[in-house]
């Protein structure tokens, strides 16, 4: 469904991504793991159109995405849950969710997506009139995910969904990712907690300094000695 091929991306003169290639099949959870600064979030920004690659291609079902602007890429079906949540703090929960549906004029579909979000996150239904900035960190992550789901994504990009959350909330977030997978949502997941990411993922890629150095099934990556030592804290 999503194919990234030989991407080169820069921040000014800094060569951030070097020949990064990956693919995500329909219905998969694919994870990107690596140290801070390895290029994981940069890869998602490049797919989303927030950072333009100088070389390479990004295709969704064979269609080139590089020529589109970020909001047009959302309309195509590639939607990101950003690192740090980035909800609209002065808007209510309901207004945040409505903002997520800006690209979909179909009111019936929007209603169905809203029902889906509230079934997935009952807490949001309870707080629909509460201002987003007053929610807890876990609730804000629910809201950021729900806002993305309102855009009816074909591929959901999730950037560090567990960042800054208490361990019990981390378990809840990954339970949600599993539920999304069961429902058929295709996910590309960037997550610092490599152990949890490899437990939910189908396949994974390891990035080091902007380069893919390893790709395999999640099960094989969990068994890989380099991955175990560098990212899973095992000797």
């Amino acid at each position: 469904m999503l194919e990234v091929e030989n991407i080169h991306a820069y921040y000014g003169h800094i060569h951030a991504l070097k020949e990064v290639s990956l693919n995500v099949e329909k219905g998969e959870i694919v994870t990107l793991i690596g140290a801070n600064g390895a290029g994981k979030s940069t890869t998602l920004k490049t797919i989303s159109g927030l950072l333009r690659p100088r070389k390479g291609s990004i295709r969704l079902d064979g269609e080139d995405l590089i020529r589109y602007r970020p909001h047009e890429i959302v309309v195509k079906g590639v939607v990101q849950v950003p690192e740090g949540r980035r909800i609209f703090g002065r808007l209510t929960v309901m207004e945040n969710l409505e903002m997520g549906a800006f690209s979909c004029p179909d009111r019936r579909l929007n209603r169905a997506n809203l029902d889906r979000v509230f079934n997935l996150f009952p807490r949001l239904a309870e707080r629909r009139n509460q201002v987003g900035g007053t929610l807890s960190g876990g609730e804000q992550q629910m809201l950021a995910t729900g806002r993305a789901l309102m855009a009816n994504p074909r591929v959901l990009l999730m950037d560090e969904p567990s960042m800054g959350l208490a361990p019990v909330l981390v378990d809840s977030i990954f339970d949600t990712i599993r539920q999304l997978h069961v429902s058929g949502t295709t996910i590309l997941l960037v997550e610092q907690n490599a152990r949890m990411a490899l437990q939910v993922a189908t396949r994974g890629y390891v990035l080091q300094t902007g380069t893919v150095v390893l790709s395999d099934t999640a099960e094989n990556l969990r068994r890989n000695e380099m991955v175990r030592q560098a990212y899973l804290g095992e000797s």
Side-chain angles (χ1 to χ4, degrees):
M1 178 175 283
L2 179 67
E3 185 177 12
V4 176
E5 186 174 0
N6 296 327
I7 284 295
H8 290 259
Y10 292 75
Y11 291 114
H13 296 295
I14 299 173
H15 198 172
L17 299 180
K18 307 162 189 173
E19 292 190 356
V20 169
S21 295
L22 60 91
N23 65 81
V24 184
E25 301 293 340
K26 185 176 181 179
E28 279 193 312
I29 299 179
V30 174
T31 188
L32 305 180
I33 62 175
N36 288 333
K40 306 185 301 297
S41 294
T42 300
T43 300
L44 295 194
K45 289 179 181 179
T46 305
I47 295 170
S48 295
L50 299 172
L51 182 64
R52 291 282 183 177
R54 293 191 188 177
K55 295 181 181 179
S57 64
I58 302 170
R59 294 184 292 272
L60 180 68
D61 282 339
E63 182 178 12
D64 179 22
L65 294 182
I66 291 178
R67 59 195 177 100
Y68 293 110
R69 291 177 290 179
H71 70 279
E72 294 171 325
I73 292 173
V74 171
V75 173
K76 293 291 180 181
V78 180
V79 184
Q80 184 165 343
V81 183
E83 179 182 349
R85 274 80 78 176
R86 299 198 181 186
I87 63 165
F88 299 101
R90 295 185 179 183
L91 301 184
T92 66
V93 166
M94 192 66 191
E95 288 168 338
N96 269 272
L97 295 175
E98 289 170 345
M99 289 293 289
F102 84 93
S103 62
C104 183
D106 187 333
R107 291 187 178 182
R108 185 175 298 180
L109 180 57
N110 289 339
R111 181 70 247 180
N113 285 334
L114 183 64
D115 290 343
R116 179 191 184 195
V117 169
F118 283 160
N119 286 332
L120 192 62
F121 303 116
R123 190 77 60 86
L124 296 183
E126 296 170 2
R127 288 162 168 71
R128 68 180 69 196
N129 296 317
Q130 186 171 331
V131 175
T134 66
L135 299 175
S136 69
E139 291 166 345
Q140 289 188 17
Q141 184 61 51
M142 295 176 194
L143 182 54
T145 304
R147 181 182 60 190
L149 293 175
M150 289 297 295
N152 204 42
R154 296 169 63 195
V155 180
L156 187 64
L157 310 180
M158 303 191 75
D159 195 357
E160 302 284 7
S162 75
M163 178 179 286
L165 300 183
V168 65
L169 294 177
V170 172
D171 290 340
S172 176
I173 289 297
F174 278 93
D175 284 343
T176 299
I177 293 172
R178 291 186 182 94
Q179 291 178 55
L180 291 172
H181 182 228
V182 169
S183 71
T185 303
T186 302
I187 300 172
L188 179 57
L189 171 67
V190 163
E191 176 55 55
Q192 194 66 34
N193 188 333
R195 185 181 302 278
M196 293 292 287
L198 290 173
Q199 286 177 4
V200 300
T202 313
R203 294 184 296 110
Y205 294 83
V206 179
L207 269 68
Q208 290 181 357
T209 59
T211 303
V212 175
V213 297
L214 186 63
S215 65
D216 210 329
T217 65
E219 182 177 356
N220 286 343
L221 289 176
R222 288 197 301 268
R223 295 175 179 174
N224 182 278
E225 184 175 353
M226 183 272 285
V227 173
R228 290 172 59 192
Q229 291 180 359
Y231 305 111
L232 304 183
E234 300 177 7
S235 57

